[in-house]
Amino acid sequence: MNAFNYDVAYYHQDDWGETSTDTVDDNGHWGSATTYRKIKTGVINGDWNFMEGHTVGASYQKGRLQDLTAAVAKARDDEGDHQSVNLHYTFNMNDFTARYQFIDAERDFGGMDAFLLGGTAPADEEVKTQVHMAQLIYNQNRWSYYLDAGVASTDTRGNDADDVEFYAPGVSYKYGPGWLYLEYLWSDGDVDRNGDIYEADFRAVYASFDFYF
C-alpha cells in the first residue's frame, strides 16, 4: 500500500501430529519434542518507508505454549502463553545498509505443571528478556562485508545473569548460483531453550556456501 507494507500470519502448530518434531529442537531455542512447544500463534508486522532509504516497522506476536511432558497426548495442555514485540529500522544508501531491532519477549509457563516440575524448567514461571541487535553491511561488486552485533538482558526473577553480548564480523562472495561465507562469532552468553539468557564464553569460525537452482 504505497509506502506501507504489512504481513499477517497464523501458526497453529509446528506439525500435523499431537507431538512435536525437531522443528522446535533445532539449535535449542524453542522448547523441544519432550518439553513444550509454541502453538496457536498470531503475528502481525507493519513497515513504513517514510523517506528514501529509511524504513521503520513494528511486529507483534502472541500465542500459546503446550506442555509436552505428559505421557498421554490428550493430557498435554496448552496453559502457557507467549508474546513479543519487535521494533526495527533499516537504512539503505547505495552499497551501504544498516539495520537495528529491539525485541521484548515474555513467556508465561504458569499452569504447565508437568514441565515446571521437570529438570529443564526456567528460573521462574514467567520469563522476560530484551534483545538489541544491529547489522552493518557494505557491498562491493560480488563481495559483501558485514558485522552483526547484539546484547541481551533478563528481567526474569531468580536469573542473576549479567547482560550478554555477541559480535560476528564476516564476508561473503557471490560466486554465481550462490554465496561463499566466512564468519567469526564471539559471544559471552546466549538465549536458552526457555527464552532466557545465560552466561558462557563461545568462539567459532564458520566457513560455508550455498547453491540455488
Side-chain angles (χ1 to χ4, degrees):
M1 297 175 60
N2 299 320
F4 183 75
N5 294 285
Y6 66 92
D7 308 275
V8 178
Y10 174 75
Y11 302 93
H12 188 66
Q13 57 191 45
D14 65 319
D15 59 31
W16 294 103
E18 292 287 346
T19 60
S20 182
T21 63
D22 62 356
T23 54
V24 294
D25 285 293
D26 184 46
N27 212 25
H29 287 306
W30 250 119
S32 73
T34 57
T35 56
Y36 75 94
R37 66 173 174 175
K38 174 183 179 180
I39 61 171
K40 302 176 182 177
T41 298
V43 185
I44 185 169
N45 174 74
D47 292 294
W48 179 35
N49 182 211
F50 63 95
M51 62 183 295
E52 185 177 0
H54 299 267
T55 301
V56 294
S59 305
Y60 177 72
Q61 68 172 259
K62 184 175 179 60
R64 305 289 285 173
L65 300 175
Q66 183 182 29
D67 194 339
L68 298 176
T69 55
V72 181
K74 64 181 180 180
R76 293 168 180 153
D77 63 64
D78 60 346
E79 294 299 318
D81 294 286
H82 72 90
Q83 63 179 346
S84 64
V85 175
N86 180 308
L87 306 177
H88 47 274
Y89 166 75
T90 300
F91 170 73
N92 287 294
M93 178 180 287
N94 300 323
D95 294 323
F96 178 77
T97 300
R99 296 189 179 99
Y100 165 79
Q101 62 177 321
F102 167 73
I103 302 170
D104 183 271
E106 297 182 12
R107 299 183 193 178
D108 186 350
F109 298 99
M112 298 171 59
D113 298 335
F115 168 70
L116 292 173
L117 290 173
T120 58
D124 187 70
E125 65 179 35
E126 293 187 20
V127 171
K128 301 177 180 180
T129 56
Q130 295 82 42
V131 182
H132 298 266
M133 291 189 290
Q135 182 182 60
L136 299 175
I137 305 173
Y138 178 71
N139 298 308
Q140 187 177 41
N141 299 319
R142 290 177 174 264
W143 293 90
S144 180
Y145 308 92
Y146 57 91
L147 171 65
D148 294 333
V151 57
S153 59
T154 179
D155 282 334
T156 304
R157 183 173 52 190
N159 185 353
D160 57 358
D162 292 328
D163 293 355
V164 299
E165 302 174 353
F166 82 90
Y167 302 93
V171 59
S172 65
Y173 175 75
K174 183 172 175 54
Y175 68 89
W179 286 262
L180 302 169
Y181 302 89
L182 181 64
E183 182 175 297
Y184 173 76
L185 171 62
W186 172 89
S187 72
D188 62 1
D190 204 350
V191 178
D192 65 18
R193 195 177 295 277
N194 297 320
D196 213 354
I197 67 171
Y198 65 94
E199 298 177 49
D201 289 323
F202 183 80
R203 310 284 189 277
V205 175
Y206 298 96
S208 59
F209 75 95
D210 51 25
F211 180 87
Y212 294 91
F213 57 89

